[in-house]
Amino acid sequence: MSEHWQARRSGPSPQRPGDRRTPWQRDRARVLHSAAFRRLQSKTQIMNVGENDFYRTRLTHSLEAAQIGTSLINQLEHVGSADERSLLPDLNLMETLCLAHDIGHPPFGHGGETALNFKMLASGGFEGNGQTFRIVGKLEAYHENHGMDLTRRALLGLLKYPVLMPPLTAPDSLQNPGSLAKWKPAKALFACDADLLDWVLEPLSEQDRTLFQQVDQLRASPWQRSKHKSFDASLMELADDIAYGVHDLEDAVVTGTLSEQQWHRHLDRVVSQLDGALSELMQRLGRQLFSPQHSVRKDAIGALVNIFVTAVQVKQTLPDASEPLIRFNAVLPEAERFLLDSLKAVVFEHVINQPSIQQLRYRSQTMLLNLFSAFHNEPLRLLPHNTRTRWQVAFDDQGQIGADRVLCDYIAGMTDEYAHRMYRNLFVI
């Protein structure tokens, strides 16, 4: 891979004496040893952290996504053409992307993300992937100005949405959002990080960048949808989807949240639409998934993952682009994509959308709304010393918009437990 994709924003830096690591190994180490990565152990995946020691957290989800990501690379190394194999990311780079892909998620999952977005409508919005980009490129303490100072290709691979936030309209009052459902975040990066995005996309020609940053305009929240992502990002997102669709499904089955009857009600119609061999396999796996024997169930989970990993293909999704990293994407064939989307829909309908989970989400969103309001109203009184200093510098340089971004960085970095504790400190008598 050409040198400009291995470059770091800080410029060339001599490696330590005797250090023989590749740029991708160094990227992986920086993610693994970061505070943002460690915090994932105490952030919600679906089930609230602490309610059951079996549930997956953001950390275990990211580890599983990394394992699936490397399996996708191994598969394509065996079945891909010579040109496709030359495009594959190094295994260390693939792990870096999967390990880091969720570090921007705030406490309490997507519910917390929507709450922060509402509070930030007048100051540039909030979105988890945009916060990931901000953490690795600016906030993490590895480098004074450039966060983890990852390689350009690693940053490109973390861009699920390589576009800037559209203009956002804030309601007259940011105190009472009503239903937060209408304030889902736009899938985009923050305007304050445009300089970092420009640096990442610098090797692209003007035509390639225009093609790569195309969006579909939407009439309602989240207002826009970016149409393209890089090859590495497509592999990372596929690994994330498989981990969500299969491993979070396992959580639901083991804990009894999803019953065998509910599975058949939702999946029998799906399975009947698959071709003969895949339909027959899914019927067998459906029975194994609800076996009382743990080993039988684990075998079914592994077989489900294998269906998607062994089906991966490389397709031209942006044929007019000259840069291969944005011209190609990893995709699933139509049948396997339909099946994976159906598994994700089962998790959403019978786990995420359950009243008990939604009630917890509502409570958690309310906590974050109140925390943001408290820090916004009394920053110099309530913020920790380091954050208070950052807030003051941002306020002096950029006004309230910059200061609010610092508040958002602080709250988004909280673990679930830290946010609970801070809320009790401020509001619970």
Side-chain angles (χ1 to χ4, degrees):
M1 184 54 59
S2 54
E3 288 186 10
H4 54 251
W5 291 115
Q6 296 185 34
R8 302 183 191 277
R9 202 175 183 201
S10 63
S13 59
Q15 290 188 234
R16 295 181 177 92
D19 187 354
R20 298 290 182 259
R21 293 176 300 168
T22 67
W24 322 121
Q25 288 172 318
R26 294 171 71 190
D27 281 351
R28 180 178 179 272
R30 293 180 186 192
V31 170
L32 275 174
H33 294 289
S34 67
F37 180 72
R38 288 195 299 276
R39 291 189 188 106
L40 294 178
Q41 66 188 309
S42 297
K43 289 194 175 186
T44 294
Q45 172 65 7
I46 293 180
M47 312 292 193
N48 273 24
V49 172
E51 291 194 357
N52 187 309
D53 62 6
F54 179 84
Y55 294 155
R56 286 167 167 88
T57 65
R58 287 278 174 189
L59 179 64
T60 58
H61 163 76
S62 298
L63 292 170
E64 289 173 333
Q67 187 275 323
I68 293 171
T70 56
S71 296
L72 292 170
I73 301 297
N74 289 331
Q75 175 69 16
L76 289 172
E77 283 179 339
H78 283 87
V79 303
S81 66
D83 287 342
E84 291 170 356
R85 291 196 302 272
S86 69
L87 192 60
L88 292 175
D90 179 271
L91 289 177
N92 289 284
L93 175 56
M94 189 72 254
E95 285 197 8
T96 299
L97 301 181
C98 293
L99 292 172
H101 81 280
D102 265 355
I103 62 175
H105 269 283
F108 313 124
H110 288 290
E113 181 185 42
T114 304
L116 283 182
N117 181 59
F118 173 75
K119 283 297 188 180
M120 288 293 291
L121 286 172
S123 300
F126 178 82
E127 195 275 330
N129 188 251
Q131 189 69 11
T132 294
F133 189 64
R134 183 167 170 77
I135 288 171
V136 299
K138 291 188 174 181
L139 298 182
E140 189 64 37
Y142 188 92
H143 189 280
E144 183 179 2
N145 300 312
H146 305 307
M148 295 184 197
D149 197 27
L150 302 181
T151 56
R152 181 184 267 120
R153 181 167 177 176
L155 290 173
L156 180 70
L158 287 169
L159 289 176
K160 289 173 69 172
Y161 319 111
V163 296
L164 295 177
M165 196 72 73
L168 301 173
T169 301
D172 293 335
S173 172
L174 288 175
Q175 298 305 311
N176 182 14
S179 171
L180 279 170
K182 60 184 178 182
W183 302 114
K184 292 179 181 178
K187 304 299 186 181
L189 308 177
F190 312 134
C192 58
D193 298 322
D195 58 327
L196 180 57
L197 177 62
D198 287 340
W199 182 81
V200 174
L201 301 184
E202 190 177 287
L204 301 183
S205 67
E206 185 176 341
Q207 179 185 4
D208 275 7
R209 178 164 177 171
T210 300
L211 290 169
F212 187 53
Q213 293 187 290
Q214 293 177 97
V215 297
D216 287 328
Q217 298 295 335
L218 307 178
R219 293 188 176 185
S221 174
W223 313 114
Q224 73 176 21
R225 178 174 52 241
S226 59
K227 298 174 69 172
H228 303 292
K229 60 182 68 67
S230 71
F231 178 65
D232 298 347
S234 71
L235 281 162
M236 175 266 287
E237 188 170 50
L238 180 54
D240 184 26
D241 277 355
I242 295 171
Y244 169 67
V246 177
H247 290 304
D248 290 344
L249 173 70
E250 181 184 13
D251 277 4
V253 171
V254 172
T255 59
T257 311
L258 177 69
S259 69
E260 187 170 6
Q261 183 181 18
Q262 290 169 325
W263 165 269
H264 285 297
R265 189 186 317 138
H266 199 105
L267 263 294
D268 283 355
R269 175 185 55 82
V270 172
V271 171
S272 69
Q273 298 179 55
L274 303 174
D275 63 43
L278 185 55
S279 177
E280 185 177 323
L281 175 60
M282 282 302 302
Q283 291 177 40
R284 176 168 60 83
L285 294 181
R287 292 190 295 270
Q288 292 180 356
L289 197 59
F290 293 90
S291 169
Q293 290 183 264
H294 183 69
S295 59
V296 174
R297 185 173 61 245
K298 290 301 293 185
D299 182 63
I301 292 296
L304 282 171
V305 172
N306 185 68
I307 288 173
F308 305 116
V309 168
T310 56
V312 64
Q313 300 174 347
V314 176
K315 296 287 188 183
Q316 287 196 73
T317 52
L318 199 54
D320 294 331
S322 58
E323 169 56 60
L325 280 179
I326 66 170
R327 187 164 71 244
F328 295 96
N329 269 193
V331 300
L332 290 177
E334 184 176 347
E336 284 78 7
R337 171 46 69 181
F338 172 60
L339 175 59
L340 182 55
D341 288 345
S342 299
L343 295 180
K344 291 166 62 180
V346 169
V347 173
F348 179 82
E349 181 60 33
H350 294 290
V351 182
I352 298 174
N353 211 30
Q354 287 301 300
S356 60
I357 296 294
Q358 288 302 314
Q359 288 162 13
L360 287 172
R361 175 175 285 195
Y362 181 83
R363 184 185 71 180
S364 302
Q365 288 175 319
T366 301
M367 282 194 289
L368 289 194
L369 292 172
N370 288 333
L371 282 176
F372 192 99
S373 294
F375 292 130
H376 178 84
N377 294 333
E378 296 274 9
L380 299 180
R381 182 182 176 195
L382 300 177
L383 288 172
H385 288 293
N386 289 343
T387 308
R388 185 188 307 173
T389 300
R390 284 189 62 225
W391 182 93
Q392 189 67 66
V393 170
F395 185 82
D396 292 342
D397 290 347
Q398 305 160 43
Q400 192 63 55
I401 289 178
D404 280 351
R405 182 58 63 189
V406 172
L407 295 184
C408 193
D409 290 339
Y410 173 55
I411 296 174
M414 293 179 178
T415 63
D416 292 17
E417 176 54 33
Y418 186 91
H420 271 291
R421 189 163 64 250
M422 183 63 70
Y423 182 83
R424 289 197 300 269
N425 289 344
L426 292 177
F427 296 103
V428 178
I429 300 174

